[in-house]
Amino acid sequence: MPFRSESSFIGIELSGSKLRAATVNNEGVIGERREDRLQKDGLVGQVAQLVTSLRQNANGIEAVGIAIPGLVNRQADRVVASRDFPGIVRENLHAEFQEATGLRFELENDANAAAYGEFKIGAGRGSRDLFYITIGEGIGGAIILDGKLWTGASGLAGEVGHITIDTEGAECECGNTGCLETVASAPNIVRRANERLYRDSTSSLSRLAMNKNFTADDMAREAKEGDDFSLMMIERTGKYIGTGVASVINLLNIERIVLGGGVMQAGELILNPIIQEAKRRAFQPCFEATQILLAALGEDAATIGAAMLARDAAIS
Ligand SMILES: [Zn+2]
């Protein structure tokens, strides 16, 4: 059914300790927002409350999309696994959401939802094929081919964080060693910086050495203000990511690669070394056909993407 132009949708993202929700119109533009501390036990009731609250000021809510950190089987409308929220892995979750709100729901993995948001109205707009990489506490990825999420045989396609970058590298949570995530996720950037500050006395000239509990965000800020050590660490991180990006380019000959997540807040400082390294390592004709861009939607990508997935699922 074609939607009326005033139709709108709700996108919700579960992340860390928060639930972020917003109304999103037919064009992917956010209207009202709500944010709530997540109560792990009462998720369905909490989502229903947020939806009710958003519906008070929005006409014609047609469907709701939820972005979930975990493995989601969309055909079966089920969360199959979630390390952060094991309580949501249950058969009836989707039905419970629909019963509690009377609205149609779509569940999707958070990286997939963010990729879809970027694809529809962000840095992926106008492309047909897209690879999305999100780099924050962990590293996730998603593949869109011919306008549709391509999720693989069991929903896990795009796990670019677990591409091996260093065969001699550190052990990863996944059981492998030297995965991209072990060097380029936010906690691992901080770990590498700490190791180096401790090892190399000239690095202690860095302003970072004055702050015992610095974060990857602090490093990005110091780098922007010209701190040499922070700049070097961000450049090296960019090289690791670029090595992974080169593999993606060679494998998929993909039209566009969009990079988002907290670590990419460093902007051009990290994007440029990523592009340089990808250029150095990728098969040249493949590289030349690929645009590598910063994500455009920031923290809203998954919320908007979840709402757009709910819209498009309701249309089809
Ligand atoms: Zn891994």
Side-chain angles (χ1 to χ4, degrees):
M1 60 177 175
F3 289 118
R4 303 181 307 275
S5 60
E6 68 270 25
S7 292
S8 55
F9 307 86
I10 292 175
I12 299 177
E13 183 186 12
L14 256 87
S15 74
S17 57
K18 275 186 288 185
L19 262 177
R20 309 173 79 228
T23 55
V24 178
N25 74 11
N26 223 351
E27 279 75 51
V29 177
I30 285 189
E32 299 249 344
R33 294 173 188 270
R34 299 284 184 279
E35 198 171 297
D36 213 350
R37 277 186 72 81
L38 191 63
Q39 300 147 20
K40 289 195 183 181
D41 296 333
L43 179 68
V44 172
Q46 213 180 350
V47 164
Q49 263 179 16
L50 283 171
V51 167
T52 303
S53 162
L54 284 167
R55 282 178 103 173
Q56 280 167 359
N57 297 323
N59 295 320
I61 297 286
E62 308 270 358
V64 184
I66 302 197
I68 289 168
L71 173 57
V72 178
N73 180 334
R74 272 189 85 202
Q75 276 71 48
D77 287 321
R78 280 198 64 179
V79 183
V80 179
S82 177
R83 191 183 58 198
D84 299 343
F85 305 105
I88 64 175
V89 183
R90 58 179 196 261
E91 203 171 332
N92 298 328
L93 183 71
H94 182 256
E96 288 171 29
F97 281 139
Q98 299 204 137
E99 273 161 31
T101 59
L103 287 168
R104 185 188 166 123
F105 267 67
E106 287 295 319
L107 312 181
E108 185 52 278
N109 164 269
D110 52 1
N112 286 352
Y116 202 70
E118 290 290 344
F119 176 72
K120 284 286 170 178
I121 69 150
R125 197 175 206 156
S127 65
R128 206 179 60 161
D129 303 326
L130 172 85
F131 195 95
Y132 174 77
I133 306 177
T134 174
I135 307 168
E137 288 300 302
I139 297 182
I143 306 171
I144 291 173
L145 296 178
D146 215 6
K148 292 199 172 67
L149 277 164
W150 191 81
T151 54
S154 65
L156 288 168
E159 284 291 348
V160 67
H162 300 290
I163 283 182
T164 303
I165 294 294
D166 177 3
T167 53
E168 314 272 299
E171 204 169 301
C172 181
E173 280 181 16
C174 75
N176 185 26
T177 54
C179 291
L180 179 59
E181 189 166 295
T182 67
V183 285
S185 68
N188 280 300
I189 295 170
V190 171
R191 175 187 57 77
R192 282 172 37 235
N194 269 313
E195 283 172 7
R196 203 172 170 102
L197 281 170
Y198 181 71
R199 202 170 60 222
D200 175 357
S201 62
T202 58
S203 302
S204 66
L205 293 173
S206 165
R207 295 219 312 244
L208 276 184
M210 293 186 287
N211 175 4
K212 266 207 151 29
N213 298 309
F214 65 86
T215 63
D217 285 348
D218 294 329
M219 289 178 71
R221 197 188 54 249
E222 295 292 349
K224 281 178 186 166
E225 289 175 9
D227 180 69
D228 286 338
F229 175 76
S230 301
L231 261 175
M232 178 198 69
M233 290 305 299
I234 283 174
E235 267 175 34
R236 291 193 174 198
T237 304
K239 283 190 173 185
Y240 286 128
I241 299 167
T243 304
V245 163
S247 297
V248 170
I249 289 173
N250 285 358
L251 196 64
L252 295 176
N253 182 205
I254 196 104
E255 181 183 358
R256 208 173 291 185
I257 295 177
V258 171
L259 295 125
V263 167
M264 294 307 297
Q265 299 292 328
E268 304 285 320
L269 290 181
I270 190 156
L271 183 67
N272 289 337
I274 289 172
I275 293 173
Q276 289 311 313
E277 193 67 10
K279 184 178 184 189
R280 206 167 73 79
R281 291 184 182 272
F283 184 51
Q284 208 55 32
C286 289
F287 175 82
E288 281 162 12
T290 306
Q291 283 181 293
I292 304 172
L293 301 173
L294 289 171
L297 302 181
E299 288 193 323
D300 291 330
T303 308
I304 294 171
M308 295 284 92
L309 280 162
R311 179 196 67 172
D312 294 349
I315 291 171
S316 62

